[in-house]
């Protein structure tokens, strides 16, 4: 019967199936196997899922009792947990793109690509640049990003590195890109300014949208947005809005994806330093400062009840983690907070949008 069905009809039927069912169909016959594993079908499957809004959420958390890391898949419509699986320590979820999830450890010495739907994993080769250069110089990874190059149909990882001189603040920036199709790293021009991280561990460019992976700069360039164009392999700088005033000691910012654009979340203290609120800004075009638009504010909260933003949901709703490690939902239309049945160790929650696909962690190979 499989051989008698027209290929166009088979394709349309398979596109409507979940990934697990499609994978089982590879065993029906050789022609179905060839169809399902072909890059054109994989691309059609991605477009079908995007068109039908088959979006999910991945939440990484640490179990309070076992102290083990767990990744749970949530329904985007109901925010209910569909299933959970263990995540080997000490990996952090960097981001997700077309069904591939990028993981890295605290210092980005190990990077792994993972497709939760197909159960495939791939350990990314180590950087070509040595992390220990000499007794007087050390190479540190300041930032790492993951995304898709639509021009070459390739998935890429961007590494931001700095050579530090021992016992001094002297440093020199370097950058390199990993190509999944080539399965190798190569150097690219570094950013136009230093991101000067303030943390001991690497920060992820976890905000990926429209071919750009982005993170914030710190130090002298604090508040500026640094974006990497995955196709043209160049860095772009977007200054913060003029109305955002950042104090080195009190204010906090983070960036997320909202409606396919970059959203800036700014923590603002009141004059008495007893209450805070969050201002939400949206960037309509990267590299254009005047395209920042303030959407709304959340709060005020007292300092000891300050929730931590995790990301956005539909209708501009915001997902937070409270001080008890529970995920809560803020509705900007009603200004109400709703507790969700997702709970982990305090400050252990990470959230990324995700979509099940057939994309292979081995690229074109």
């Amino acid at each position: 019967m499989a051989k008698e069905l027209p290929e166009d009809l088979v394709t349309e039927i398979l596109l409507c199936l979940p990934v697990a069912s499609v994978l089982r169909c590879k065993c029906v016959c050789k022609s179905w196997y060839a169809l399902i594993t072909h890059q054109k079908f994989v691309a059609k499957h991605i477009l079908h899922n995007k068109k039908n809004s088959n979006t999910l959420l991945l939440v990484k958390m640490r179990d309070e009792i076992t102290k083990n890391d767990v990744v749970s898949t949530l329904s985007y419509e109901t925010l209910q947990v569909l299933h959970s699986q263990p995540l080997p320590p000490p990996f952090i979820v960097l981001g997700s793109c077309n069904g591939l999830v990028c993981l890295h450890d605290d210092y980005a010495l190990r990077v792994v690509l993972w497709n939760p739907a197909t159960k495939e994993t791939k350990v990314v080769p180590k950087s070509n640049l040595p992390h220990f250069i000499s007794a007087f110089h050390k190479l540190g990874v300041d930032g790492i990003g993951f995304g898709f190059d639509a021009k070459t149909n390739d998935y890429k990882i961007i590494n931001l590195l700095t050579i530090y001189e021992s016992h001094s603040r002297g440093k020199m920036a370097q950058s390199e890109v990993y190509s999944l199709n080539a399965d190798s790293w190569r150097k690219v021009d570094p950013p136009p300014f230093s991101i000067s991280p303030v943390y001991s561990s690497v920060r992820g460019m976890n905000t990926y949208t429209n071919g750009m992976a982005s993170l914030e700069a710190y130090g002298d360039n604090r508040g500026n947005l640094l974006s990497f164009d995955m196709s043209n392999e160049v860095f772009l700088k977007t200054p913060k809005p003029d109305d955002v005033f950042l104090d080195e000691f009190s204010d906090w910012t983070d960036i997320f994806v909202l409606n396919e654009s970059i959203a800036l979340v700014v923590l603002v203290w009141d004059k008495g330093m007893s209450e805070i609120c969050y201002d939400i800004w949206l960037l309509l075009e990267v590299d254009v400062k005047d395209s920042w638009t303030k959407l709304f504010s959340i709060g005020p909260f007292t300092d000891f009840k300050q929730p931590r933003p995790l990301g956005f949901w539909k209708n501009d709703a915001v997902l937070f983690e409270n001080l008890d490690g529970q995920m809560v939902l803020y509705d900007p239309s009603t200004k109400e907070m709703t507790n969700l049945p997702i709970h982990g160790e305090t400050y252990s929650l990470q959230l990324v949008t995700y979509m099940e696909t057939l994309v292979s962690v081995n690229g074109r190979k």
Side-chain angles (χ1 to χ4, degrees), residues 78-92:
T78 65
L79 296 178
Q80 296 296 311
V81 177
L82 301 178
H83 54 81
S84 300
Q85 52 191 315
L87 179 68
F91 285 105
I92 300 169

Side-chain angles (χ1 to χ4, degrees), residues 109 124-131 139 159 161 176 185:
L109 299 177
V124 174
K126 290 185 178 181
S127 162
N128 294 324
L129 299 173
H131 283 259
L139 186 68
N159 245 349
L161 310 108
E176 58 180 354
W185 293 91

